[in-house]
Every structure is written in C-alpha cells, then in structure tokens.
Amino acid sequence: DQPVLSTGASGPGKELLARAIHAPGPRARQAFQSENCAALTDTLLESELFGHVKGAFTGADRDRKGLFELADGGTLFLDEVADMSPEMQKKLLRALQEGEIRPVGGKGVKKVDVRIISASNKRLDRLVRAGEFREDLFYRLRVLTVDLPPLRNRKEDIPSLVEHFMKLYSRAGKPQKAFEAGVSELLQGYDWPGNIRELENEVKRMVALSDDSITSEVLSDHIRRGGRGLVDMDEDGPVQNLIELVEQVERREIEKALRVSKNNKTRAADLLGISRFTLQRKLDKYGMS
C-alpha cells in the first residue's frame, strides 16, 4: 500500500507493472487511474490531476473531477513524473503531504486517499542533485522502487511477448500464423531500443504483411540485418550516454561471438580480440549466462 517508483527506459511496460502492483493489493477493488505527465501543459495537467470548477478557464462549462478524486481509495499511476515543472511538483507534493486537493478555480479543498505509483525514464536522484527535481517530492515517491530492465536485458521474454501480440493482432477466427525458420532467431538477436512498444509494432507489421506464414522478408530491414538499434551516430544527432552505448555494443558483439563459436568461450574471446578472462569478466558484469 506504499508509493512505488518504477525506473527504466521508455517502453518496457511500466504501466503494466503498475497495474500488476495494484491488482493484488488492498486497493484492488477501487479505481486505477493513469496519466502521462510529459504529455500535457501545466494548466492541463493540473486540471487532469485535481479537476476544475465551472468557469475556471475558457471552455470549463461544468465542474469536472480530476484523477486524484476519481482514484480516491485506489491507485494513481503518474508516468514520466520527472517531466513535471517545478510548480507542478510543488502542487503534487502538497497533495501527497496533506492528502487533499484544490480543483482549478475552486476555493475549497477535498480530502483524498490515493496511493501513487510513479515512473520515470530519467534518474530522479541525478535530477535532485542537479536541482531539477524536488528532493522532498523524490522521497515521497520513492518509498519502494522497482527497476524494470530494458528488453535487451531479458530477451528470454521475447517469445512469450511475441506470442501474446500475435494472438492480439491476428484476425478473429483465423489460425495464428507460423514462423518460418530463422525468424525467431532474428527477433531475439535484435536489441529493441524501443523495448516492448517497438516489439509490439513489429508484430503488427509482421501480421499485416505476411500471408499464411511469417518469413524473414516481412521483418524491418534493421532487424533482418541484425541491427543493434543504436541511434544514428551522425554529427547532428543527439549526444549519447557513453556508458550505455559501450554496454550495448559489447553485449551485441559478445552475443554474436558466442553464437558463431557455438558457446566456445575461448574461440569467442579470440574473435573479439580479448582474453578469455576478460570475456568472462564482461559476462559476469552484464549478467550474461
């Protein structure tokens, strides 16, 4: 029944995780509400969270309940909470501290009892040190933490996820399409920088473009070529995190070397130009069995 902060890259299924936390808990019989804090301006986000009264702004032709009130007794999931402005952080902190909200344009307050599950693809502790996120709000949100690893670090999940999305997007009454040889290997050999969201879109593409069976020809080019999913490294592109970039490259090449060498570590190390001891250290570092 405590606040939970979920961390990890965009698209690994943080809202699904939030629903999984809510469902077996003491608030399961009450509402689960969610909002993406990065998708709205301050004015709209404040209205979405706290509601508004009639006449509060242009277009407010009636009183409207906010998500805090709708989730009273239940759970409110706030995605990308790091993208809240300092002013909205202040208002959220007050709601959590006092257990009450004031609708936009209203004078009175309403008592609410809401458990918050929040998520961020940014390191909130770093934002706190940089003065970009309130420390008191950070500790309010981070009572419990769950780090959801990117899909590239849990590739054993890919077959189950593909099967789920295949069932979801196959035509009703039609038999599920089978994979031809090599398709599953290509899907598991890709790093999926867009995580589950990217995988879901790829399955939609596979279902739409294939006939009776799914061949490698219907896969996206970068997946068919064994693409690593790195951001284009042109001079005008975004600056990349070197630690993450190095890990991504090393993981990909180690997996490739082990595949080519049929899991012979000495041979794989030779292909990589490193010692077997160095290879073993990297396998341990990245948790690669």
Side-chain angles (χ1 to χ4, degrees):
D1 197 35
Q2 297 299 320
V4 179
L5 173 63
S6 172
T7 60
S10 294
K14 290 194 281 288
E15 181 169 353
L16 188 63
L17 171 67
R19 291 182 181 276
I21 293 172
H22 169 78
R27 296 174 179 264
R29 293 181 178 273
Q30 305 302 320
F32 177 95
Q33 300 287 340
S34 66
E35 185 57 71
N36 187 326
C37 300
L40 301 174
T41 64
D42 270 14
T43 302
L44 289 175
L45 182 58
E46 184 178 3
S47 175
E48 281 294 309
L49 294 182
F50 308 132
H52 63 253
V53 300
K54 182 179 179 179
F57 48 81
T58 302
D61 56 356
R62 58 185 175 86
D63 290 356
R64 182 175 182 274
K65 291 182 178 181
L67 294 178
F68 264 89
E69 196 170 353
L70 293 173
D72 191 19
T75 298
L76 176 57
F77 173 61
L78 298 176
D79 198 8
E80 306 304 352
V81 71
D83 291 321
M84 275 189 174
S85 70
E87 185 61 27
M88 276 306 303
Q89 292 176 33
K90 179 181 176 181
K91 292 176 179 179
L92 175 60
L93 177 64
R94 181 181 181 280
L96 298 181
Q97 285 179 329
E98 306 298 332
E100 61 184 29
I101 57 168
R102 178 180 286 111
V104 178
K107 295 182 179 179
V109 298
K110 298 179 179 181
K111 286 290 185 180
V112 289
D113 173 24
V114 176
R115 188 265 291 274
I116 298 292
I117 299 178
S118 54
S120 176
N121 63 359
K122 301 173 183 176
R123 288 282 301 272
L124 289 188
D125 54 341
R126 293 177 182 173
L127 296 180
V128 168
R129 289 195 293 271
E132 298 175 12
F133 197 85
R134 293 183 66 105
E135 185 175 17
D136 43 9
L137 177 57
F138 171 60
Y139 288 117
R140 281 273 176 181
L141 297 174
R142 195 208 64 170
V143 176
L144 300 170
T145 57
V146 178
D147 182 43
L148 197 56
L151 191 54
R152 69 174 181 271
N153 290 0
R154 47 191 176 105
K155 289 189 173 182
E156 65 276 7
D157 290 348
I158 290 176
S160 297
L161 288 165
V162 169
E163 182 179 1
H164 167 71
F165 291 131
M166 287 289 292
K167 290 178 180 177
L168 193 61
Y169 296 114
S170 294
R171 287 185 179 181
K174 297 283 186 179
Q176 189 170 314
K177 299 177 181 181
F179 286 174
E180 289 197 355
V183 173
S184 295
E185 288 75 10
L186 289 171
L187 293 174
Q188 289 192 269
Y190 180 61
D191 274 345
W192 303 104
N195 291 295
I196 294 175
R197 193 175 297 130
E198 183 184 6
L199 177 61
E200 180 179 7
N201 289 334
E202 187 65 25
V203 173
K204 287 182 184 178
R205 172 193 172 93
M206 288 157 43
V207 171
L209 297 182
S210 60
D211 294 321
D212 296 331
S213 61
I214 294 175
T215 67
S216 60
E217 282 71 25
V218 302
L219 297 178
S220 297
D221 290 343
H222 53 282
I223 296 174
R224 194 166 60 247
R225 294 196 304 264
R228 58 190 182 277
L230 293 175
V231 177
D232 290 338
M233 291 183 282
D234 60 75
E235 293 182 0
D236 297 324
V239 175
Q240 299 180 67
N241 183 300
L242 286 179
I243 295 175
E244 293 178 357
L245 187 61
V246 168
E247 177 181 346
Q248 193 173 350
V249 172
E250 289 192 340
R251 279 178 174 277
R252 187 199 77 228
E253 295 305 314
I254 288 172
E255 288 173 354
K256 189 190 301 182
L258 288 171
R259 190 163 58 247
V260 170
S261 66
K262 294 182 172 54
N263 288 322
N264 183 311
K265 292 181 182 178
T266 301
R267 175 60 181 151
D270 289 341
L271 292 170
L272 293 165
I274 58 178
S275 68
R276 192 183 189 284
F277 174 73
T278 300
L279 172 60
Q280 187 59 55
R281 277 198 314 174
K282 292 183 183 296
L283 290 171
D284 294 340
K285 176 182 177 181
Y286 297 138
M288 301 170 65
S289 57

